Amino acid sequence: MGKSKYDETPRHVLCRRIPTPPFGRIEDRHFVRYDEYVETGGYEGLRKALTMKPEDVTGEVKKSVLRGRGGAGFPCGLKWTFLPPVPDGKKPGDPGAERYLAVNADESEPGTFKDRLLMEADPHMMLEGIAICCHACRLSRAYIFIRGEYHHQAKVLEQALAEAYEKGIFGEKGLQNSDANTGGARFRVDCYVHRGAGAYICGEETGLLEALEGRRGWPRIKPPFPAIKGLFGKPTIINNVETLCHLPFILSEGAAAFMAQGVESSVGGPPSYGTKLMGMSGHVEQPGVFEFELGIPLRTFVEKHCGGMRRGKKFKAAIPGGVSMGILSTDQYEAELDFDIGRKYGVLGLGTACPTVFDEDTDMVAVARNIARFFKHESCGQCTPCREGSGWLYQLMSRIEEGDARTKDVDIALEVAQSMGTMPGTTICGLADGNNWAMKTIINKFRGEFEARVKPAFVAATVGAS
């Protein structure tokens, strides 16, 4: 086989200021403050955006086909168009015209640790993306909902945010009120950091909104959708950290430059343009966070950039992007990490694109039991199929692992899993879908390991001789 673009040093967009192995040393990482950020091209995208009409900024993002980097992969620019127009005679922030941005920095999906790198090393890139989004969508206030366990990252964000206020990005004397703003009515944008309390379910967008409002993080029934009635009952856009961090590049370099990276769809769906942060963990020699163009094969990622499988063992399986996506089997080592992965390889989707790799000695029954335990613990309990089903799955997986189950218990586990989630229409949010896909892909793709741990579900009857 010849060399591909994934064998070469990638053009870093998100990690241009963040040294990342094998192309830089982790020891050289540091908090990129405002002055260094500006000296290396920072806030150029915002300055360009401020000379454009808001609808033109949205059009450029929509043209780029930037897909959400938080897990769902929904086109960012298209999401922005769902907002209702600002009422006539008002500007954002006026009574009756409040509109908000909620930044999902919860990052609680197991095996995912990419946004953490952006927030602790180059937070101004996210703040620039927030300012661009607020200008494009005419949003008067932004809330960064950061995972409760991210103590250091929250402190760094607060320092960067203070610099952004001091230098005129946010607040009364921000760039939105300067002479550079010729793209529409001037208005003030404020930004706040809100720390979560450690609940996985707050990564779900409406659960996040509930937590921001000071209530228990219980997902809401939709419709109404957040773009119509979101935070405090006002129109709200919810974007992931990494998604927002792509906006400065798209605005400064243009949509075409963004679209030059990544791949077209191979199954007739939307393309997978741009680069992606990918956090590799599990049984590899060199785990970490990397930036590659979408479409890199898992085998290339592991063997060319992560030093291969740990201790020279063979590849057995991998979770492509957070446990809720399901699992890739041994014969799917060549899977391309792009947004087509779900339709091509029988998983829920690309998710966060943070693979967790398992070697040949991994007990897949134990993996299933551990994932079932996680979802049981994190279910908010609103929906009976999820509340009860996640507990049943954990009991069944524990029973199978201990060798106390029968063959029928494997089928019961599959039946329970496939009756849970928003896809069958039995739950409010997708937590049960994650549980469903994790269980059914592991059981179906490694059924032999489960059957080897259970007792026959029937006893053959014999008729004695007369």
Side-chain angles (χ1 to χ4, degrees):
M1 293 177 60
K3 290 187 67 176
S4 74
K5 63 180 180 180
Y6 301 110
D7 295 319
E8 302 169 356
T9 302
R11 179 189 180 187
H12 284 151
V13 173
L14 303 175
C15 291
R16 57 186 297 190
R17 303 174 191 87
I18 307 173
T20 305
F23 316 108
R25 300 193 319 148
I26 293 177
E27 294 82 356
D28 294 331
R29 290 178 181 170
H30 60 282
F31 169 20
V32 178
R33 294 188 174 273
Y34 178 87
D35 290 339
E36 180 183 353
Y37 184 71
V38 172
E39 288 171 2
T40 54
Y43 288 111
E44 288 298 325
L46 174 61
R47 292 190 177 91
K48 183 177 178 181
L50 291 172
T51 66
M52 302 166 62
K53 293 182 179 180
E55 56 268 28
D56 293 337
V57 177
T58 299
E60 190 71 10
V61 176
K62 192 174 178 181
K63 178 183 175 182
S64 73
V65 201
L66 169 63
R67 299 178 66 173
R69 269 36 178 179
F74 192 84
C76 176
L78 180 60
K79 178 187 282 190
W80 290 0
T81 65
F82 296 159
L83 283 169
V86 177
D88 291 339
K90 293 182 179 290
K91 65 175 183 287
D94 288 349
E98 300 93 340
R99 299 146 70 86
Y100 303 121
L101 169 66
V103 182
N104 191 340
D106 193 61
E107 195 166 56
S108 51
E109 183 72 26
T112 302
F113 45 93
K114 61 182 181 64
D115 293 340
R116 178 179 67 183
L117 177 64
L118 295 171
M119 292 186 287
E120 68 185 13
D122 200 1
H124 280 284
M125 183 161 49
M126 180 184 69
L127 296 180
E128 182 178 4
I130 289 172
I132 291 171
C133 177
C134 288
H135 170 65
C137 299
R138 313 313 278 166
L139 310 175
S140 57
R141 199 168 297 167
Y143 294 90
I144 304 168
F145 187 93
I146 188 169
R147 180 178 178 178
E149 292 87 347
Y150 281 180
H151 304 289
H152 171 68
Q153 290 76 16
K155 291 178 182 178
V156 171
L157 267 182
E158 292 281 10
Q159 293 178 52
L161 192 55
E163 290 182 336
Y165 269 89
E166 179 186 351
K167 300 295 183 179
I169 306 303
F170 299 111
E172 186 65 38
K173 298 180 179 180
L175 285 175
Q176 286 80 1
N177 296 301
S178 73
D179 292 336
N181 184 6
T182 60
R186 296 168 183 152
F187 68 101
R188 170 175 177 162
V189 173
D190 286 295
C191 185
Y192 306 93
V193 176
H194 182 104
R195 297 183 66 175
Y200 170 76
I201 197 60
C202 289
E204 195 276 337
E205 60 179 17
T206 59
L208 182 150
L209 295 180
E210 287 287 303
L212 273 175
E213 292 179 1
R215 291 191 288 271
R216 180 181 295 177
W218 276 10
R220 301 173 180 174
I221 295 174
K222 296 180 283 189
F225 292 94
I228 304 300
K229 186 178 180 181
L231 187 62
F232 307 121
K234 303 298 182 181
T236 304
I237 288 296
I238 304 170
N239 282 144
N240 169 256
V241 170
E242 185 186 350
T243 307
L244 292 167
C245 286
H246 276 288
L247 298 180
F249 178 83
I250 292 172
L251 267 295
S252 62
E253 302 292 330
F258 179 82
M259 298 164 68
Q261 297 175 297
V263 292
E264 298 285 348
S265 173
S266 59
V267 293
S272 299
Y273 292 143
T275 63
K276 182 79 182 67
L277 282 188
M278 301 181 182
M280 175 66 74
S281 61
H283 301 153
V284 297
E285 289 289 353
Q286 298 170 7
V289 180
F290 305 80
E291 182 181 6
F292 294 111
E293 292 185 43
L294 281 163
I296 183 172
L298 178 60
R299 181 191 291 272
T300 301
F301 190 0
V302 172
E303 297 185 359
K304 296 286 185 179
H305 303 289
C306 297
M309 296 296 295
R310 191 176 64 182
R311 301 191 187 97
K313 294 184 178 180
K314 295 180 181 179
F315 170 84
K316 181 173 184 177
I319 296 168
V323 296
S324 59
M325 293 300 106
I327 203 158
L328 298 168
S329 58
T330 309
D331 61 349
Q332 296 175 331
Y333 196 16
E334 303 292 343
E336 302 89 357
L337 297 176
D338 59 38
F339 290 106
D340 289 342
I341 193 170
R343 294 171 63 181
K344 293 170 66 175
Y345 297 100
V347 292
L348 183 54
L350 179 64
T352 58
C354 291
T356 303
V357 175
F358 304 111
D359 66 25
E360 57 189 319
D361 295 331
T362 304
D363 181 351
M364 300 311 297
V365 177
V367 170
R369 187 264 308 149
N370 193 35
I371 293 175
R373 181 205 60 80
F374 171 80
F375 282 113
K376 173 184 178 295
H377 182 268
E378 295 295 341
S379 172
C380 78
Q382 279 192 99
C383 307
T384 301
C386 181
R387 182 184 66 246
E388 302 299 328
S390 61
W392 293 344
L393 285 173
Y394 177 57
Q395 290 180 32
L396 287 165
M397 292 302 108
S398 298
R399 193 183 305 164
I400 293 171
E401 184 182 28
E402 292 165 3
D404 295 332
R406 295 189 177 275
T407 306
K408 66 178 182 180
D409 290 326
V410 179
D411 295 320
I412 291 173
L414 286 172
E415 183 179 351
V416 170
Q418 295 187 65
S419 64
M420 297 164 53
T422 58
M423 292 183 198
T426 60
T427 59
I428 293 173
C429 83
L431 183 143
D433 293 291
N435 199 350
N436 171 357
W437 279 84
M439 292 301 103
K440 73 182 183 184
T441 55
I442 295 175
I443 293 173
N444 287 332
K445 294 181 179 182
F446 296 93
R447 187 170 182 118
E449 292 193 31
F450 288 82
E451 292 182 342
R453 301 279 275 274
V454 299
K455 304 168 186 176
F458 62 93
V459 177
T462 58
V463 179
S466 57

